[in-house]
């Protein structure tokens, strides 16, 4: 079975843990969009691994892990992750593949990302990793791909061409000295040598795997509302984070996708700027951030926190074709007297039941909440649905009714064991 895992909010839903669990049952795991703006945390025993580029399934021996053509790769970050895995005794040789069509993040992408953000009046809150400028070059047809790093002549031509134009812009627009060809050329040709054994035609590999009835897990990064089209534009990332992105970013046809699983936190978080209708008040936000340890795994930035927004997640279910939902961090809600779910927005005296596409409306809507009773803190972690507090079960059932989707897993802690499988 070929499954896509998707974040249904603004990213950081906890997809890494779910990918890690589901990886046990599949043969191939694929990252298909985004770059090292993502941070996927996986806890195994007393060890915590944070991946920015590596598919989270890499911790499972014998599984083949691919970085698809839709990902943008910062080679230094990838090199560090590969070395980290080697140090941890995890052998990736022969089972880690990088698409030769994946675009490469260059030093000028990173700097441009930061300079642009500094100049912006309305900041996006970018992670500053060069993701946007790299995707922009891809669309502008001047990007550099992994295969180019294996071909010194082609790489030199492309790099020269890029620097000719970009250095002018850096100097004139940003008063930046620009970039030296030789230094970048040497560094990146070296990456080509380092990655040569991993770079391959992953599109072919995955299609052959699908034909052989192997199981593939497509690991989404970020979340639905950071999608370049369907997200809260312009406060979004630069890739297709919705399920369609899995096909474009891997070369596997939509007819070969069997199921899309959505991941949602039991509340909502957002890093960076942009509208957030259900955001908590300052004090309660601080309290919940601490309770949920809501700090970005990529930048360490504090995450903004708010109540569960059923309008958002319902839209995510629709766009992605989600048939099963996983609820993460249920335990963070323990000990709250009451819990709210946003069921509609109020705007200019009217009730809205759909997530508005107009930016001004989204920025000004007031959430309409349904309240549910909370449940106490517990020292024992529930291990099955029946062990969840009755009010927690009421909350889950209410989400299921509102979202019209099956909830098949609930996470109550960071480790693999803190996961309840249910069929409600
Ligand atoms: P960029 O993709 O680094 O340019 O960031 C654009 C927006 O997406 C910013 O608001 C980031 O905080 C947000 N963002 C990017 N990647 C992630 C992620 O993995 N989790 C949560 N937010 C993200």
């Amino acid at each position: 079975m070929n499954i896509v895992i998707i974040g249904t909010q603004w990213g950081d839903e906890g997809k890494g843990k779910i990918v890690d669990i589901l990886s046990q049952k599949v043969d191939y795991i694929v990252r298909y969009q985004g770059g090292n703006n993502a941070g996927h945390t996986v806890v195994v025993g007393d060890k915590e691994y944070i991946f920015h580029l590596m598919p989270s399934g890499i911790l499972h021996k014998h599984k083949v892990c691919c970085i698809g053509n839709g990902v943008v790769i910062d080679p230094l970050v990838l090199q560090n992750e590969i070395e980290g895995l080697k140090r941890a005794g995890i052998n990736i040789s022969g089972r880690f593949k990088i698409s030769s069509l994946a675009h490469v993040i260059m030093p000028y992408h990173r700097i441009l990302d930061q300079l642009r953000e500094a100049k912006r009046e309305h900041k996006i809150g970018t992670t500053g990793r060069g993701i946007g400028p790299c995707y922009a070059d891809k669309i502008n047809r001047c990007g550099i791909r992994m295969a180019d790093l294996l071909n010194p002549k082609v790489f030199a031509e492309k790099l020269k061409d890029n620097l000719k134009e970009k250095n002018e812009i850096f100097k004139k627009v940003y008063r930046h000295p620009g970039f030296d060809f030789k230094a970048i050329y040497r560094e990146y040709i070296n990456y080509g040598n380092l990655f040569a054994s991993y770079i391959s035609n992953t599109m072919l590999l995955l299609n052959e795997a699908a034909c052989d009835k192997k199981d593939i897990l497509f690991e989404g990064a970020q979340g639905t509302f950071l999608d370049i089209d369907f997200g809260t534009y312009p406060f979004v990332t630069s890739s297709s984070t919705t399920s369609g992105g899995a096909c474009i970013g891997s070369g596997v046809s939509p007819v070969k996708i069997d199921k899309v699983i959505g991941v949602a936190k039991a509340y909502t978080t957002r890093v960076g700027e942009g509208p957030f209708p259900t955001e908590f008040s300052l004090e309660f936000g601080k309290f919940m951030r601490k309770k949920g340890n809501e700090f970005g795994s990529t930048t360490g930035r504090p995450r903004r926190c708010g109540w569960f927004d059923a309008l958002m997640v319902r839209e995510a279910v629709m766009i992605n074709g989600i048939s099963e939902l996983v609820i993460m961090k249920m335990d963070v809600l323990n000990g709250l007297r009451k819990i709210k779910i946003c069921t509609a927005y109020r705007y200019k005296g009217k009730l809205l039941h759909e997530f508005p596409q107009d930016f001004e409306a989204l920025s000004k809507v007031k959430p309409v909440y349904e309240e549910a009773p909370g449940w106490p803190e517990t020292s024992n972690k529930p291990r099955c649905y029946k062990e969840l507090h009755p009010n927690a079960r009421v909350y889950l059932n209410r989400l299921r009714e509102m979202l019209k989707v099956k909830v098949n897993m609930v996470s109550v802690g960071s480790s693999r064991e803190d996961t309840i499988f249910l069929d409600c």
Side-chain angles (χ1 to χ4, degrees):
M1 182 171 282
N2 300 329
I3 302 173
V4 184
I5 304 283
I6 289 289
T8 58
Q9 293 155 322
W10 279 294
D12 307 316
E13 295 90 354
K15 296 177 292 294
K17 172 175 166 173
I18 300 308
V19 170
D20 174 61
I21 289 173
L22 296 179
S23 293
Q24 298 171 38
K25 298 184 184 156
V26 301
D27 306 291
Y28 290 75
I29 301 110
V30 191
R31 263 288 305 266
Y32 57 84
Q33 47 71 225
N36 60 306
N37 47 351
H40 293 164
T41 309
V42 181
V43 179
V44 184
D46 57 358
K47 270 199 166 171
E48 184 181 84
Y49 298 85
I50 299 178
F51 299 116
H52 300 288
L53 276 168
M54 268 291 163
S56 308
I58 198 77
L59 297 176
H60 295 273
K61 281 184 199 163
H62 314 304
K63 309 285 172 177
V64 179
C65 291
C66 299
I67 295 186
N69 54 280
V71 175
V72 289
I73 299 176
D74 186 323
L76 180 60
V77 175
L78 184 58
Q79 186 194 350
N80 287 338
E81 288 192 6
I82 292 173
E83 281 170 5
L85 285 168
K86 282 185 184 159
R87 274 197 304 278
I90 295 160
N91 182 12
I92 62 165
S93 136
R95 65 180 190 96
F96 173 56
K97 312 278 173 191
I98 306 168
S99 167
S100 51
L101 305 183
H103 279 249
V104 183
I105 296 180
M106 306 297 291
Y108 46 79
H109 291 140
R110 279 193 301 264
I111 301 294
L112 183 59
D113 209 7
Q114 291 156 20
L115 291 174
R116 256 197 203 143
E117 181 80 341
K119 256 187 185 277
R120 272 188 194 113
E121 205 161 303
H122 301 288
K123 311 243 178 268
I124 288 173
T126 168
T127 59
R129 305 294 199 253
I131 309 295
C134 185
Y135 276 116
D137 276 3
K138 171 175 174 171
I139 302 301
N140 266 334
R141 294 159 295 180
C142 63
I144 289 171
R145 310 204 280 194
M146 289 310 285
D148 299 330
L149 303 186
L150 301 180
N151 187 329
K153 187 166 163 278
V154 169
F155 178 52
E157 273 168 19
K158 285 195 173 185
L159 182 60
K160 266 188 203 144
D161 219 31
N162 267 292
L163 288 181
K164 203 162 80 189
E165 186 199 21
K166 292 187 197 301
N167 277 345
E168 287 281 298
I169 297 173
F170 273 106
K171 281 175 199 153
K172 290 194 180 139
V173 179
Y174 297 101
R175 310 219 176 285
H176 181 282
F179 294 84
D180 174 46
F181 169 83
K182 268 193 202 146
I184 299 182
Y185 177 81
R186 261 193 239 118
E187 182 187 348
Y188 278 68
I189 281 292
N190 188 37
Y191 292 131
N193 292 332
L194 279 174
F195 301 147
S197 63
Y198 308 123
I199 299 173
S200 55
N201 185 340
T202 53
M203 180 275 289
L204 196 62
L205 179 82
L206 293 169
N207 276 289
E208 283 173 357
C211 279
D212 291 345
K213 300 275 174 263
K214 299 281 186 211
D215 296 319
I216 309 173
L217 189 63
F218 296 87
E219 173 179 4
Q222 287 91 36
T224 300
F225 290 88
L226 289 175
D227 184 271
I228 187 71
D229 287 288
F230 300 105
T232 46
Y233 193 91
F235 303 97
V236 294
T237 190
S238 302
S239 61
S240 296
T241 62
T242 39
S243 57
C247 300
I248 296 164
S250 67
V252 175
S253 151
V255 299
K256 295 197 177 122
I257 306 290
D258 299 296
K259 183 156 79 172
V260 182
I261 298 181
V263 183
K265 259 181 207 168
Y267 48 101
T268 312
T269 62
R270 167 162 216 175
V271 202
E273 306 304 318
F276 185 170
T278 65
E279 187 164 11
F280 294 140
S281 64
L282 203 65
E283 274 313 298
F284 190 53
K286 264 192 204 165
F287 168 77
M288 288 301 286
R289 181 175 309 129
K290 194 161 173 236
K291 202 167 186 292
N293 191 24
E294 293 294 358
F295 296 89
S297 46
T298 298
T299 57
R301 288 181 292 175
R303 293 179 186 143
R304 299 156 66 193
C305 302
W307 294 116
F308 190 93
D309 188 332
L311 274 77
M312 278 181 77
V313 180
R314 200 164 49 220
E315 184 160 304
V317 167
M318 177 169 64
I319 298 173
N320 296 298
I322 291 168
S323 56
E324 292 174 20
L325 193 67
V326 181
I327 300 291
M328 307 299 292
K329 290 192 139 181
M330 262 303 268
D331 55 309
V332 177
L333 298 183
N334 292 354
L336 299 184
R337 206 166 43 82
K338 58 183 181 204
I339 293 169
K340 295 184 187 181
I341 305 173
C342 173
T343 55
Y345 297 145
R346 198 174 289 286
Y347 181 59
K348 291 191 173 168
K350 284 195 183 134
L351 266 192
L352 306 182
H353 294 281
E354 305 298 339
F355 198 75
Q357 294 200 326
D358 175 62
F359 178 74
E360 196 187 348
L362 185 61
S363 309
K364 293 192 175 155
V365 292
K366 297 278 172 256
V368 177
Y369 290 115
E370 179 177 304
E371 282 189 13
W375 53 90
E377 287 284 1
T378 68
S379 47
N380 297 333
K381 291 261 184 195
R383 286 284 176 251
C384 61
Y385 182 63
K386 277 193 194 145
E387 285 179 19
L388 281 167
H389 189 278
N391 289 352
R393 282 187 259 154
V394 168
Y395 184 67
L396 285 176
N397 279 327
R398 199 60 196 110
L399 294 187
R400 186 174 55 91
E401 278 165 16
M402 281 179 188
L403 305 171
K404 298 188 174 50
V405 72
K406 199 164 133 184
V407 175
N408 67 341
M409 263 190 256
V410 179
S411 174
V412 291
S414 53
S415 74
R416 283 175 183 164
E417 294 70 39
D418 298 328
T419 315
I420 298 171
F421 296 85
L422 54 158
D423 198 37
C424 65

